[in-house]
């Protein structure tokens, strides 16, 4: 799932500046979700290692 959000975020970054301005809300949401998923992944890995 993290890969999907990171890929979507990369796609948003790849569009022109003008188009990205229109997608700024989406870009913020994708970045926030990706960061949250990274934290969750780290916690799950720590739990699995215990």
């Amino acid at each position: 799932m993290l890969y999907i959000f990171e890929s979507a975020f990369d796609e948003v970054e790849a569009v022109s500046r003008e188009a990205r301005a229109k997608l700024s809300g989406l870009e913020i949401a994708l970045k926030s979700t990706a960061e949250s998923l990274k934290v969750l992944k780290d916690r799950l890995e720590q739990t699995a290692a215990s």
Side-chain angles (χ1 to χ4, degrees):
M1 188 185 311
L2 178 58
Y3 173 78
I4 294 168
F5 280 100
E6 288 179 333
S7 295
F9 184 65
D10 290 342
E11 290 296 321
V12 171
E13 287 183 325
V15 298
S16 70
R17 184 177 292 243
E18 183 178 298
R20 194 173 9 179
K22 294 177 183 177
L23 298 172
S24 65
L26 176 60
E27 183 176 12
I28 292 167
L30 288 172
K31 186 175 183 179
S32 174
T33 302
E35 289 172 0
S36 295
L37 287 171
K38 285 179 185 178
V39 169
L40 177 59
K41 178 185 170 195
D42 290 343
R43 287 182 182 170
L44 289 172
E45 288 174 348
Q46 288 176 356
T47 301
S50 297

